[in-house]
Amino acid sequence: LVCFSQPLLRFIGTSLTGEEANGYATSFLTIRAISAPAVFLASASIGILRGYLDTKTPLVILAAANLVNLLLDIILIPGARMGPTGAAIATTTAEWISAIAFLGVLAGNLPSADGDLGRNQLHKQSSSDDDDAAAA
């Protein structure tokens, strides 16, 4: 995205809106490109959790990430007067937070919303192994 930013931005018409708009768009695209791996991780994690029939955990994580995004937007756009650059920073930060949270749930370091994945799953699995051993 960064390598082809100017041709892409010309294609969508920012060159027609003036140098200032093109500068904002370039800054926005460059910062948002940093979040591309986070978007991929979050999308893949949502798919994995869907495979486990868990749609509640993605809802909770994405709602929290959107709240972070909203708060950072309020702080950075009008508060710090950063404009589109502040919006890009807020969104990129929120997306990385959600990606890290998803990875934490899938790695078992954070519990899922309903307790079936993460630490709780590891605890249940060892408990059921103990039950199976006691029954034998």
Side-chain angles (χ1 to χ4, degrees):
L1 283 174
V2 175
C3 294
F4 299 106
S5 64
Q6 287 310 308
L8 288 170
L9 292 173
R10 268 193 301 276
F11 177 74
I12 63 171
T14 60
S15 61
L16 303 174
T17 58
E19 195 59 38
E20 185 179 18
N22 191 51
Y24 286 140
T26 302
S27 172
F28 187 87
L29 181 62
T30 302
I31 294 167
R32 291 289 290 122
I34 295 167
S35 70
V39 172
F40 174 76
L41 288 171
S43 295
S45 298
I46 291 167
I48 292 167
L49 290 168
R50 238 187 248 153
Y52 283 116
L53 302 178
D54 181 1
T55 55
K56 190 175 185 181
T57 300
L59 177 68
V60 170
I61 291 173
L62 293 175
N66 277 289
L67 183 60
V68 167
N69 190 11
L70 175 65
L71 293 174
L72 287 175
D73 277 341
I74 292 168
I75 292 167
L76 297 176
I77 298 171
R81 297 177 187 234
M82 294 180 76
T85 300
I89 291 169
T91 304
T92 298
T93 302
E95 286 177 343
W96 274 106
I97 288 171
S98 69
I100 291 167
F102 278 121
L103 290 177
V105 169
L106 293 174
N109 295 326
L110 294 172
S112 64
D114 59 5
D116 286 338
L117 293 172
R119 266 190 230 278
N120 297 331
Q121 182 65 22
L122 296 174
H123 176 68
K124 283 182 182 178
Q125 188 176 26
S126 65
S127 295
S128 66
D129 291 343
D130 293 342
D131 293 343
D132 292 342

